[in-house]
Amino acid sequence: MAEREPRPRTVGVVLAGGVGRRVGHDTPKQLLEIAGRTILEHTLALFQEAPEIDEIIVLMAPGFTGEVERIVERNGFTKVGRILEGGASRPETTWRALQALGAQECHVLLHDAVRPLADRRIIADCVEALRTFSAVEVAIPSSDTIVVTSPGPHGEIVSDVPDRARLRRVQTPQCFRLSVIREAYERAFADPGFGDRPATDDCGVVLRYLPDVPIHVVPGSERNMKVTHPVDLFVADRLLRLAASEVPSRSDTALREALEGRTVVVFRADDGAGAEVARLAGEYGARVFPFPGSPAPGEVRVDDPQAVADALARVVKETGGIDYVISAAGTPPQGRLDAVDDATIAGTVNADHLGPVTVARAALPRLRETRGQLLFHSPSPGGDGAGEGLRSFAGAAVAGLTLALAREWTEYGIRVNCVEPGRAGAATPTGPFSSHTVARTSLDVLASGVTGQVIDSRP
């Protein structure tokens, strides 16, 4: 079988030149925060992690390029090669990107920064399609009937109802061979009438000025929405959190690549998910330091700041650095809340509320050195009464802490996430969850690139 020709250099151009007036903000909407990160960060992370993308160019609203530079630096977006100011209109912004790409032929993916939910499948399909076609549009079928209106005596009237079967809703990225999209724009800007009737997107420029170039359609996704209106912020936030909670299960090879030779510290590793994640990480080649939280050799109480700090210092002295810190959780007490004594409740609250804060404070200087990750477990189910009430109370606190620290520590390159073993004992269609489920999900999260996410463990 003949070998395929190597694909040309592929550049993702993130067009972030707009300002979020329609979402009620004066700052660029791509800098608004949803699901623990700015919209722009979600979008850049998508292209950074796509193996088909060789370079990223960002076109940003004038006056905000410095903020993009800070985002790129603190997230380690190494593929971002240039950050440029956008123009006064979408065509001008696109043209600036095309000029920056130089004369050498390449493949170009032009993507709206405020579409943070495009997925890797779309990018891969677009890059593959460019091997055959010079222009590629991403689109999905219209689920609504579209009508054409015209002015009537008392307002608009319906003048036509196109066949919905042939209608598509356009998304991005829109993808081209550089020579094709550049020629289309050169012809557009040479047309005196282009400014009065600009195309609504880049494929529209090709269709108008290079009508003989076929534009291939790649299926998009209903999730690949554009954040335009205030309600879109809410919907996109929920969809991004849902996507993050679906962190894919890594293969054994991928987990070994992520963990082999890395230093993992697990607090409250005496039983349950804490003990299991320590065991599994060791099987995948990590250097694991498990610290029990109950009376036992090597005990470290997570509500004792000095004990936690000393434990981390000993690990650093032995290994030179810490890559992952896991703050596991215990099982809340059983029985009715009014039947549990004050000392038991105080101990549970200290361990499940103060403990994660103590671990986080001590872990910060260690994880800054390695740009590592802090992973929390929220408490396992404790039945009814006191157990369920205290579990819910602690779970909400740990989830809030996760989101706050993920934002605060982004500048240090530290990722912060939480796995919810809250359903680890609950019945599911495939049987009960287990500590192994929680541990395996935890390793999948450590191996992923997400941050600021509260992730359900999976059966």
Side-chain angles (χ1 to χ4, degrees):
M1 181 181 295
E3 292 187 5
R4 302 184 70 189
E5 293 184 4
R7 63 172 176 80
R9 181 173 65 102
T10 302
V11 182
V13 176
V14 176
L15 301 167
V19 176
R21 293 190 177 91
R22 279 184 286 182
V23 294
H25 295 269
D26 292 328
T27 57
K29 56 188 172 182
Q30 54 272 20
L31 296 181
L32 299 178
E33 187 177 291
I34 56 176
R37 306 172 89 176
T38 65
I39 295 173
L40 180 60
E41 284 174 283
H42 288 292
T43 303
L44 289 177
L46 171 68
F47 281 84
Q48 172 72 28
E49 295 166 11
E52 300 85 2
I53 300 298
D54 300 306
E55 182 186 357
I56 303 170
I57 296 177
V58 183
L59 278 293
M60 187 60 189
F64 292 92
T65 55
E67 179 60 28
V68 179
E69 290 172 357
R70 288 186 286 273
I71 285 173
V72 168
E73 181 178 3
R74 72 177 179 238
N75 284 279
F77 292 143
T78 56
K79 292 183 182 179
V80 176
R82 282 164 284 186
I83 301 168
L84 310 172
E85 285 195 349
S89 66
R90 170 60 180 269
E92 289 182 25
T93 298
T94 299
W95 181 240
R96 290 190 181 189
L98 300 179
Q99 289 178 307
L101 286 169
Q104 185 177 3
E105 183 70 290
C106 64
H107 288 173
V108 184
L109 277 64
L110 299 167
H111 187 67
D112 294 328
V114 288
R115 289 189 185 269
L117 283 150
D119 56 49
R120 294 187 189 179
R121 190 272 305 166
I122 292 175
I123 291 178
D125 287 355
C126 287
V127 172
E128 180 63 25
L130 283 174
R131 288 181 175 271
T132 304
F133 301 94
S134 299
V136 176
E137 179 101 86
V138 175
I140 59 175
S142 176
S143 57
D144 299 316
T145 297
I146 305 297
V147 300
V148 178
T149 65
S150 59
H154 303 292
E156 293 184 331
I157 60 173
V158 174
S159 58
D160 189 21
V161 183
D163 180 5
R164 188 175 68 185
R166 298 182 60 190
L167 298 178
R168 299 291 182 270
R169 290 156 48 201
V170 172
Q171 302 179 339
T172 65
Q174 295 186 359
C175 317
F176 310 90
R177 295 178 184 172
L178 176 59
S179 57
V180 169
I181 187 63
R182 175 176 286 152
E183 181 180 353
Y185 267 98
E186 287 173 347
R187 294 188 181 191
F189 287 127
D191 176 7
F194 180 67
D196 297 329
R197 193 171 63 92
T200 56
D201 65 359
D202 302 305
C203 282
V205 177
V206 172
L207 185 64
R208 186 186 306 179
Y209 294 100
L210 295 175
D212 294 332
V213 173
I215 301 173
H216 178 71
V217 176
V218 163
S221 164
E222 288 287 352
R223 288 192 179 192
N224 186 17
M225 62 177 290
K226 184 176 182 181
V227 178
T228 303
H229 302 287
V231 69
D232 297 334
L233 292 170
F234 175 83
V235 174
D237 179 89
R238 294 303 181 269
L239 288 175
L240 282 164
R241 293 189 187 281
L242 177 62
S245 71
E246 298 170 347
V247 171
S249 179
R250 263 60 181 180
S251 66
D252 289 342
T253 300
L255 288 180
R256 183 164 294 278
E257 289 176 354
L259 294 168
E260 192 165 29
R262 302 294 182 91
T263 299
V264 179
V265 174
V266 185
F267 289 103
R268 301 181 79 178
D270 30 352
D271 58 15
E276 182 65 7
V277 75
R279 183 189 69 79
L280 275 183
E283 287 188 359
Y284 286 109
R287 296 174 296 181
V288 183
F289 292 82
F291 294 104
S294 56
E299 172 194 4
V300 174
R301 291 181 56 87
V302 292
D303 55 349
D304 182 341
Q306 191 60 55
V308 173
D310 288 347
L312 294 177
R314 293 196 299 272
V315 174
V316 171
K317 184 176 181 180
E318 181 174 339
T319 66
I322 298 171
D323 299 290
Y324 303 116
V325 174
I326 300 173
S327 178
T331 302
Q334 302 286 332
R336 292 167 52 91
L337 185 62
D338 58 0
V340 179
D341 62 78
D342 293 344
T344 299
I345 291 178
T348 299
V349 171
N350 280 342
D352 290 341
H353 291 73
L354 181 59
V357 174
T358 300
V359 170
R361 285 168 58 89
L364 173 59
R366 307 303 183 182
L367 295 176
R368 282 182 67 174
E369 296 173 356
T370 60
R371 299 176 70 90
Q373 181 176 173
L374 173 62
L375 180 66
F376 295 114
H377 288 172
S378 62
S380 300
D384 55 11
E388 180 60 20
L390 292 175
R391 185 202 72 79
S392 299
F393 183 32
V398 172
L401 180 63
T402 297
L403 299 179
L405 290 182
R407 289 193 295 268
E408 184 178 324
W409 291 3
T410 297
E411 63 179 296
Y412 307 132
I414 302 173
R415 291 179 290 127
V416 185
N417 294 292
C418 175
V419 170
E420 284 200 317
R423 300 174 186 170
T428 72
T430 57
F433 280 82
S434 65
S435 295
H436 179 81
T437 296
V438 176
R440 180 58 190 245
T441 302
S442 298
L443 298 190
D444 289 337
V445 174
L446 294 182
S448 75
V450 302
T451 188
Q453 303 303 326
V454 179
I455 297 158
D456 289 339
S457 53
R458 297 178 299 273

